[in-house]
């Protein structure tokens, strides 16, 4: 007895499935591996890599949010003597046209949640500006976004 897991695509939704199986033939294993590969490839095909001064966004164009945002936080980025004020200027990313998602967040009940925080960019004006691009945002509840 074992477990199989994978993605099932229904319309525009991807659902994770986990099934308990008793016997899994070679043909079934092959079919499931093809399905898993195709699902991963389809998700990756909608992803755009956008490099900025201090972070890289792996942005999913279809979902309008990053799949992930990667950055290295260094002492120089947070140890300056004068910290910049947070600007709250959420804006489209010039590197990815069509990313002005203000309407997506308006009256949605969700905050624009930074993946690389503004506080981590408080020592550099370019970093502060770039961290407010929508390619660095994910919807977050106010409690999660403001309470941490």
């Amino acid at each position: 007895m074992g477990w199989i897991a994978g993605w099932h695509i229904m319309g525009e939704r991807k659902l994770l499935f986990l099934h308990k199986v008793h016997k899994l033939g070679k043909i079934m294993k092959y079919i499931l591996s093809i399905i898993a590969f195709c699902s991963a490839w389809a998700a990756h095909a909608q992803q755009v890599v956008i490099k900025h001064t201090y972070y890289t966004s792996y942005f999913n164009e279809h979902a309008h949010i990053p799949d992930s945002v990667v950055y290295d936080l260094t002492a120089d980025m947070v140890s300056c003597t004068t910290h910049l004020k947070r600007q709250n200027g959420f804006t489209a990313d010039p590197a990815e046209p069509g990313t002005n998602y203000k309407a997506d967040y308006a009256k949605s009940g969700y905050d624009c949640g930074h993946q690389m925080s503004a506080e981590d960019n408080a020592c550099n004006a370019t970093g502060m500006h770039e961290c407010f691009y929508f390619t660095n945002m994910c919807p977050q509840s106010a409690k999660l976004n403001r309470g941490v």
Side-chain angles (χ1 to χ4, degrees):
M1 180 170 33
W3 292 88
I4 58 170
W7 291 99
H8 176 71
I9 300 175
M10 291 179 62
E12 293 184 5
R13 295 184 177 182
K14 287 185 263 180
L15 304 173
L16 178 66
F17 66 84
L18 184 66
H19 292 287
K20 196 174 185 181
V21 294
H22 295 283
K23 288 185 179 181
L24 200 58
K26 287 183 181 180
I27 294 174
M28 186 58 129
K29 286 181 184 178
Y30 179 73
I31 291 170
L32 289 173
S33 65
I34 290 173
I35 292 170
F37 173 79
C38 291
S39 297
W41 180 79
H44 180 71
Q46 297 171 349
Q47 189 181 77
V48 177
V49 179
I50 305 167
K51 295 183 183 219
H52 289 295
T53 306
Y54 292 113
Y55 72 91
T56 300
S57 176
Y58 295 86
F59 189 72
N60 187 314
E61 293 177 315
H62 180 72
H64 297 187
I65 58 173
D67 291 328
S68 63
V69 171
V70 179
Y71 62 97
D72 291 321
L73 186 61
T74 65
D76 293 342
M77 293 169 67
V78 293
S79 62
C80 56
T81 55
T82 305
H83 289 266
L84 299 170
K85 287 183 102 177
R86 180 186 166 102
Q87 62 177 246
N88 291 328
F90 298 101
T91 188
D93 190 329
E96 181 65 14
T99 56
N100 187 351
Y101 299 126
K102 288 180 183 176
D104 289 1
Y105 288 92
K107 298 181 183 182
S108 70
Y110 290 95
D111 284 359
C112 295
H114 285 83
Q115 300 308 291
M116 181 183 193
S117 72
E119 186 177 5
D120 291 341
N121 288 284
C123 294
N124 183 283
T126 301
M128 178 63 78
H129 179 73
E130 289 178 347
C131 80
F132 281 89
Y133 293 155
F134 282 107
T135 54
N136 183 42
M137 301 296 145
C138 281
Q140 292 182 2
S141 69
K143 186 176 181 180
L144 173 65
N145 192 39
R146 300 176 205 170
V148 176

